[in-house]
């Protein structure tokens, strides 16, 4: 079975502050991890994936297999980063499992 | 065209009605998905089609019936639904290289269903 845990339902930070959205996973094989984002009134879209190892909109995420974590980080949050963020895992048989999501609010 | 298009955007139906949700993509993707999303909850996988064949059915009640007429289209036929089936139904597609991992999913905007 594959499972994704996002412990924070809500997260508020001030503009310019660092932000970290936590994600832990459970899967016995080699998973592929993703962060998806849903801005207000927009469709769910991919933010980044661990195999790309790239920074998108200033966000980065490192897969830590020892801690089974894939936390999303940004050094300086912007107001336009306010959105719902979902961590997701793809393991067996084309199943993409989402975590429960973290609603990020960046305050002015 | 790099979008997944879903119709209708909104649907209200009674418990005895029969209706269908439609999804279309022209990105050449060979995997298509139906997800159900309740308010303030993550999307939950319902069905996966790979190369037009149903590969995953997540124990969805038979009142939901998926159909994949061709590689660009995905339908979800609805019959005798219950009020608790009211939700946002999301369609998605992905390349599907044949491996276990899904790769990037491209989502539609969803069809918001209300069952009275």
């Amino acid at each position: 079975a594959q499972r994704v845990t996002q412990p924070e339902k809500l997260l508020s930070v001030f503009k310019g502050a660092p932000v970290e959205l936590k994600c832990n996973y459970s899967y016995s094989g080699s998973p592929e991890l993703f962060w998806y984002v849903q801005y207000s009134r927009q469709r769910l879209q991919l933010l980044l994936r661990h195999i790309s190892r790239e920074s998108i909109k200033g966000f980065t995420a490192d897969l830590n297999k020892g801690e089974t974590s894939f936390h999303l980080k940004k050094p300086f949050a912007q107001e336009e980063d306010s959105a719902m963020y979902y961590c997701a895992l793809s393991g067996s048989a084309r199943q993409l499992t989402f975590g429960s999501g973290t609603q990020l609010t960046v305050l002015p | 065209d790099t979008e997944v298009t879903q119709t209708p955007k909104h649907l209200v139906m009674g418990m005895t009605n029969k209706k269908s949700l439609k999804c279309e993509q022209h990105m050449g993707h060979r995997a298509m998905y139906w997800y159900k999303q309740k308010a303030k909850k993550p999307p939950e996988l319902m069905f996966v089609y790979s190369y037009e064949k149903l590969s995953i059915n997540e124990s969805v009640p038979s009142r939901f019936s998926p159909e994949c007429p061709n590689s660009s289209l995905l339908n979800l036929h609805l019959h005798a639904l219950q009020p608790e089936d009211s939700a946002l139904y999301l369609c998605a597609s992905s390349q599907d290289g044949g491996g276990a991992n899904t790769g990037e999913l491209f989502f539609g905007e969803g069809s918001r269903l209300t069952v009275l």
Side-chain angles (χ1 to χ4, degrees):
Chain A
Q2 53 195 58
R3 191 161 63 192
V4 179
T5 303
Q6 293 179 251
E8 303 136 332
K9 235 179 165 163
L10 303 169
L11 184 62
S12 293
V13 299
F14 285 101
K15 177 182 170 182
V19 63
E20 182 180 46
L21 288 79
K22 291 187 171 23
C23 172
N24 288 89
Y25 67 90
S26 172
Y27 183 65
S28 54
S30 290
E32 189 171 5
L33 275 296
F34 305 83
W35 277 99
Y36 280 81
V37 61
Q38 193 164 31
Y39 300 103
S40 179
R41 300 184 188 280
Q42 292 188 29
R43 68 185 68 201
L44 193 57
Q45 59 188 287
L46 179 69
L47 179 62
L48 53 79
R49 55 198 292 187
H50 89 269
I51 61 170
S52 301
R53 303 184 66 82
E54 56 189 351
S55 173
I56 304 291
K57 299 185 179 183
F59 285 97
T60 58
D62 289 318
L63 179 61
N64 185 324
K65 291 187 178 180
E67 295 183 359
T68 58
S69 68
F70 188 57
H71 304 325
L72 183 68
K73 299 177 185 178
K74 185 169 182 177
F76 307 104
Q78 303 299 313
E79 289 182 69
E80 55 265 31
D81 296 329
S82 296
M84 177 67 88
Y85 290 81
Y86 292 103
C87 183
L89 179 155
S90 173
S92 59
R94 303 182 187 83
Q95 286 184 285
L96 187 68
T97 301
F98 289 89
S100 53
T102 298
Q103 179 68 51
L104 174 66
T105 302
V106 180
L107 304 166
Chain B
D1 186 355
T2 58
E3 280 201 349
V4 174
T5 304
Q6 290 188 242
T7 56
K9 286 192 173 2
H10 299 275
L11 178 63
V12 180
M13 60 187 290
M15 289 191 284
T16 58
N17 291 161
K18 277 187 182 180
K19 297 283 184 184
S20 297
L21 306 180
K22 296 186 186 306
C23 175
E24 194 167 358
Q25 58 88 14
H26 296 287
M27 295 179 278
H29 290 171
R30 301 314 298 268
M32 296 186 76
Y33 309 75
W34 280 115
Y35 280 85
K36 174 182 177 180
Q37 186 176 28
K38 293 281 227 180
K40 300 193 186 300
K41 296 287 188 185
E44 296 176 10
L45 183 64
M46 299 175 72
F47 302 104
V48 180
Y49 273 83
S50 178
Y51 291 85
E52 296 144 59
K53 287 187 170 26
L54 183 65
S55 64
I56 294 178
N57 176 341
E58 288 288 283
S59 303
V60 179
S62 59
R63 57 185 184 268
F64 295 91
S65 174
E67 179 198 16
C68 189
N70 60 56
S71 60
S72 300
L73 295 174
L74 185 66
N75 298 322
L76 186 63
H77 302 299
L78 314 170
H79 175 54
L81 294 194
Q82 304 296 311
E84 58 264 28
D85 296 322
S86 298
L88 182 68
Y89 288 85
L90 296 170
C91 175
S93 70
S94 68
Q95 286 275 4
D96 192 0
N101 291 325
T102 61
E104 178 180 359
L105 261 60
F106 290 79
F107 284 87
E109 291 183 311
S111 292
R112 188 163 298 284
L113 173 67
T114 302
V115 182
L116 301 175

